[in-house]
Amino acid sequence: MPDGLDILREIGRAAAPVPAGETDLLGDWLLRQADLPAVPELLAVAQGNTADDLRLHRDGDRVMLSGTADRVAWAARSGRFVGLVSDEDANYVVCVPIERLTITPGTSLAGESRDMVTARAVALDTNEIGAAPQLDLIDLRARGAATRAVLIQGAVEAVVELVRDYCEVRTQFGRRLRDFQVVGHQLALMREHATLVSAAAELASAVLQGSGSWEDAATAKIVAGEVAGHIAKAAHQLHGAIGVSEEYVLHRYTRRLWAWRDEYGSENEWAHRLGATLVQRGPDALWPWVAAAADQGG
């Protein structure tokens, strides 16, 4: 698992247009939770967005899958589609060959494959569906959010280095940009944000390694999402017009930061869920939760 996390981080650092974490950290994990056999193909995983309406129904002895899943990463280029689906009694993991589904191609803000997957009464074989009573949708959403936090960490580190190097060599009014007080202040803030997202990624890594909770993933995604916004804004301010040019590398990172901050739940979505949970527990539970989180982070 540490190797997988390092690869995920480096994909973010390189802004590489490749599947990142869907097969091993999400798809394979879902299959294991339902005791389904591993498959050699690339896996596309449903995010579990509120607009998704995948459902199971029965036709005699057959179990059928119908409905849609939107914004599925790299579905058009994958071998199988994996999703967490509920019926009236329990949650199930389904694993269906892509050729039995309808794929409507789409792209993220970064230009990466984010497709709509549609199932029209697809009959499932016994090795394509498994019960997962211990799994809730929030578990999948949290794990997906954790992958995005790690990707954001890698991209943020790369952007900070890119901006630092640019401000070292770019001159204005006979001075290097980094020598202007306001620019130096911005660079310092960016380094602080990079440190903050690194701590968030540690929480996310714990979730992906099985020792963290959905609350840890929520915290990591909230922090990573906010940092992504600050870093992208500051980077474009310091680069000026060159930052948005097609030939320059900066937009490859910032468009991914903007896209990843919304996938598997934006910071607003996770903040509302986390806040509602803490309120429900009552005021006496708040400080112990904060103290425990501080101990884990330290």
Side-chain angles (χ1 to χ4, degrees), residues 258-280:
W258 288 320
W260 290 335
R261 71 183 295 188
D262 287 334
E263 292 183 344
Y264 290 100
S266 66
E267 51 265 37
N268 273 348
E269 177 183 329
W270 285 113
H272 280 296
R273 182 182 290 274
L274 186 58
T277 298
L278 295 175
V279 168
Q280 187 177 25

Side-chain angles (χ1 to χ4, degrees), residues 27-225:
D28 285 344
W29 173 80
L30 276 173
L31 296 182
R32 291 195 301 272
Q33 304 309 303
D35 292 324
L36 287 173
V39 294
E41 295 102 329
L42 193 69
L43 301 179
V45 180
Q47 289 192 38
N49 295 319
T50 55
D52 294 354
D53 63 354
L54 290 173
R55 60 196 179 277
L56 298 172
H57 53 97
R58 297 188 180 275
D59 181 7
D61 294 333
R62 297 187 303 173
V63 179
M64 318 289 284
L65 175 68
S66 296
T68 60
D70 199 12
R71 313 299 296 170
V72 180
W74 305 98
R77 305 186 188 187
S78 298
R80 293 200 177 218
F81 168 75
V82 180
L84 182 63
V85 188
S86 300
D87 68 2
E88 296 177 356
D89 302 317
N91 290 333
Y92 294 84
V93 174
V94 297
C95 181
V96 187
I98 286 293
E99 60 266 20
R100 294 168 58 195
L101 305 166
T102 301
I103 309 299
T104 305
T107 57
S108 71
L109 182 63
E112 295 184 334
S113 172
R114 295 295 185 269
D115 310 315
M116 177 178 288
V117 176
T118 303
R120 295 185 174 90
V122 175
L124 301 174
D125 295 334
T126 55
N127 64 346
E128 294 174 347
I129 180 172
Q134 76 283 9
L135 268 187
D136 288 321
L137 184 59
I138 191 173
D139 298 317
L140 171 61
R141 297 279 288 171
R143 196 171 176 87
T147 67
R148 276 20 186 193
V150 176
L151 284 168
I152 287 172
Q153 179 197 11
V156 161
E157 290 174 352
V159 170
V160 170
E161 292 174 4
L162 187 68
V163 173
R164 180 200 63 199
D165 293 345
Y166 178 80
C167 292
E168 284 276 359
V169 299
R170 180 71 174 179
T171 59
Q172 191 74 23
F173 304 114
R175 299 169 61 188
R176 293 180 303 176
L177 284 182
R178 61 158 291 177
D179 295 331
F180 289 90
Q181 183 176 10
V182 65
V183 173
H185 178 66
Q186 283 280 58
L187 292 174
L189 283 177
M190 292 182 75
R191 288 192 293 270
E192 289 179 9
H193 282 126
T195 300
L196 188 59
V197 81
S198 178
E202 287 296 319
L203 273 181
S205 298
V207 173
L208 294 170
Q209 295 181 86
S211 60
S213 66
W214 74 262
E215 296 170 19
D216 296 324
T219 303
K221 191 59 159 57
I222 292 167
V223 172

